[in-house]
Amino acid sequence: MTIKSKVMNIFQPAVNKLKDVWMKIPARLRKILRILGIVFAGLLFLMTVLSIVLNLKGKAPVEIKPTPVASFAPLPSGEVITNPSRYATDSGVIKIEGDLSGVEKELDNLQVSEVNLLPPRLDFDINFAK
Amino acid sequence: MLRKKILLVAVFIGATFLAKNIRAEEFDYQKAYQDYQYNLSLYNKLNDEYRLSRARYIQYKTLLSEEEAKQATLAMLQARDETIKTYLTALRMRIMENKGLSDGERESLFRRIDPEVSYFEEHKEKLASVGSLKDFVKDSDEAKDRFSNSTEIVFYTALTNISIGNTAHERKQIEKVILDLRSKITEIKLAGDKDVSVFDRFFVKLDNKLQRSREKETNAKDIIAASEKSYKNKINYYNDAMGAVQESYLYLKESVSYLKEIIRLIKTK
């Protein structure tokens, strides 16, 4: 007894049962089911072929998109406002902020005392005694 | 003939324009400061030569060493006068270019600087006619008295006022920002989309800071004015005055921090 005949012996009763069920379906419905089956098989085949071809070409690189972040209104000092109001981008406010930044820079660079212009050291003790 | 006239007019206009430009470029603080630096280094060199010739004269007491001592003393004393003059001129130019001082304050300082310049100019001219070492000593002592009783005070008064002018200028800039910010806050208040009531308190604090800054500057002026009636070392008064100006400066820095905070609050929901 070959393997094929052994397998046939196992599945034959199920096949016969399915054949009986199939034959009980009306001929017209059987035809529709057959067409649907062919179309489904065709699609399955096509998808399999396509997936094999695409895999051979190599996977398309995944585009890394930056995680969207909430909009911040940066201050000239580098400080970031996390919850900006509508005045965060107001031209008047930004101008005042710029002016203030200018004043701050001037203040930082200001030398309170005129270190380069301190009085000269002069000798007033003139005499010709020993 | 007509061509000649046109040429003459063109030359005149050109010369006037050129002279104006040259005059505008010819003297400013930087130039005055360079002049002073040059004269100071020349004085230091001539003072070394004077010391050397003085030592030789005291040692040898010869006619030659006396003559050399006279020449060296004359050169040194004239260089000393010129150093004081150019230093006062540098102070004058610094005051002239100072944006924080009012015209009245400038004029008041010039009225004190100019007589000192005139004194040392005349003193320098007088030195050329001096004949003996004894007379040199006498003339030097005269200059010493003038310097310690008047010139030195003018030096420190001018320096204090220059520093006050610098901080006063920065305060004016801050006041301009405050004015703009107040106007913007009024605009926001009218729009009614943000609560700005908290800022009133901030502005009161800001005004206090600026007032304190002004008071410190007045304090510095008082300190330096007190030095005129005192025989103590003038530089100590100047250092105290600078301490007060430094405090004024710190109040200005705090004011800027307050303004930054207000702007940050306006920009935040």
Side-chain angles (χ1 to χ4, degrees):
Chain A
M1 202 182 232
T2 61
I3 295 167
K4 193 185 172 184
S5 57
K6 272 184 182 175
V7 172
M8 284 301 283
N9 280 343
I10 294 164
F11 287 105
Q12 199 56 49
V15 171
N16 290 339
K17 239 179 188 176
L18 276 171
K19 262 185 183 174
D20 289 345
V21 173
W22 179 251
M23 291 312 286
K24 278 178 188 168
I25 295 168
R28 210 170 163 182
L29 191 61
R30 269 204 321 258
K31 203 176 176 183
I32 291 166
L33 282 171
R34 199 174 288 141
I35 291 164
L36 279 173
I38 291 165
V39 169
F40 180 73
L43 280 171
L44 204 69
F45 176 74
L46 263 172
M47 279 169 75
T48 313
V49 170
L50 274 172
S51 73
I52 290 165
V53 170
L54 285 174
N55 268 340
L56 282 174
K57 274 188 178 178
K59 280 183 182 173
V62 180
E63 195 185 342
I64 300 164
K65 287 181 183 173
T67 313
V69 288
S71 64
F72 295 124
L75 287 171
S77 58
E79 192 187 343
V80 171
I81 289 172
T82 48
N83 192 17
S85 72
R86 63 175 281 242
Y87 295 102
T89 52
D90 183 279
S91 61
V93 174
I94 288 167
K95 192 196 171 291
I96 295 167
E97 197 174 22
D99 291 347
L100 182 65
S101 177
V103 176
E104 192 180 23
K105 269 181 201 157
E106 271 185 26
L107 263 178
D108 288 343
N109 295 329
L110 183 73
Q111 276 190 333
V112 173
S113 56
E114 295 280 324
V115 283
N116 294 327
L117 200 56
L118 288 176
R121 295 179 74 174
L122 304 168
D123 181 10
F124 282 97
D125 190 22
I126 307 301
N127 68 77
F128 292 91
K130 273 185 188 172
Chain B
M1 191 67 189
L2 183 70
R3 202 180 287 172
K4 221 174 180 179
K5 275 182 180 172
I6 292 169
L7 193 73
L8 269 170
V9 170
V11 167
F12 177 74
I13 292 169
T16 313
F17 182 73
L18 202 72
K20 247 184 187 175
N21 277 350
I22 289 168
R23 215 175 299 138
E25 283 172 359
E26 76 189 1
F27 210 72
D28 59 3
Y29 167 69
Q30 283 307 323
K31 179 78 178 67
Y33 183 72
Q34 281 169 10
D35 278 359
Y36 158 62
Q37 285 292 313
Y38 168 76
N39 279 290
L40 179 63
S41 60
L42 183 67
Y43 161 73
N44 286 330
K45 180 178 161 278
L46 293 173
N47 193 37
D48 288 344
E49 285 176 18
Y50 151 75
R51 283 168 178 277
L52 206 69
S53 64
R54 177 185 175 272
R56 260 193 235 125
Y57 169 72
I58 289 170
Q59 193 178 357
Y60 303 120
K61 293 274 185 185
T62 61
L63 281 173
L64 183 67
S65 64
E66 186 182 350
E67 195 52 40
E68 280 175 357
K70 269 198 245 176
Q71 280 177 14
T73 310
L74 173 66
M76 182 276 289
L77 290 178
Q78 284 183 328
R80 196 179 67 188
D81 287 348
E82 196 59 28
T83 303
I84 296 170
K85 257 177 65 191
T86 50
Y87 178 71
L88 286 163
T89 309
L91 284 175
R92 199 182 201 282
M93 294 311 292
R94 194 68 167 158
I95 290 164
M96 201 179 266
E97 291 173 16
N98 193 295
K99 292 175 190 168
L101 294 171
S102 68
D103 288 345
E105 285 169 326
R106 274 195 207 104
E107 283 305 317
S108 161
L109 290 165
F110 292 162
R111 274 200 295 273
R112 299 193 63 181
I113 290 173
D114 295 347
E116 299 305 318
V117 173
S118 301
Y119 172 85
F120 284 98
E121 207 169 294
E122 282 167 23
H123 186 261
K124 186 186 168 188
E125 280 168 20
K126 205 172 86 178
L127 285 168
S129 61
V130 172
S132 68
L133 285 175
K134 202 178 163 189
D135 288 341
F136 277 130
V137 173
K138 191 173 150 267
D139 276 3
S140 176
D141 286 346
E142 271 175 28
K144 183 185 179 180
D145 287 346
R146 175 75 182 205
F147 186 84
S148 53
N149 293 329
S150 175
T151 317
E152 199 181 17
I153 298 164
V154 173
F155 281 179
Y156 289 121
T157 305
L159 283 171
T160 306
N161 277 278
I162 290 166
S163 296
I164 289 173
N166 290 340
T167 47
H169 172 67
E170 294 307 325
R171 193 173 47 253
K172 275 182 204 162
Q173 302 292 102
I174 292 171
E175 282 166 347
K176 229 164 96 185
V177 172
I178 291 174
L179 207 69
D180 291 344
L181 199 58
R182 274 186 187 273
S183 156
K184 189 71 209 176
I185 287 171
T186 309
E187 201 182 292
I188 296 169
K189 201 174 183 178
L190 286 171
D193 53 359
K194 188 168 176 62
D195 180 22
V196 291
S197 57
V198 70
F199 297 137
D200 290 339
R201 204 153 25 90
F202 281 27
F203 279 117
V204 169
K205 279 190 175 181
L206 255 172
D207 287 345
N208 284 342
K209 293 281 172 201
L210 295 183
Q211 185 53 30
R212 289 269 178 97
S213 158
R214 273 186 220 101
E215 283 167 11
K216 287 293 167 191
E217 284 166 16
T218 309
N219 191 13
K221 279 183 184 174
D222 291 344
I223 293 169
I224 213 70
S227 74
E228 295 189 34
K229 293 164 197 160
S230 170
Y231 293 105
K232 283 184 199 165
N233 210 339
K234 306 289 181 255
I235 196 159
N236 294 339
Y237 284 93
Y238 172 69
N239 288 336
D240 289 348
M242 279 301 101
V245 181
Q246 181 70 34
E247 283 181 66
S248 164
Y249 170 81
L250 291 175
Y251 281 124
L252 297 181
K253 291 277 280 180
E254 281 180 36
S255 305
V256 168
S257 297
Y258 275 26
L259 284 166
K260 278 171 81 178
E261 170 114 32
I262 294 173
I263 290 173
R264 196 178 58 78
L265 288 172
I266 289 173
K267 291 178 86 175
T268 311
K269 259 183 194 165

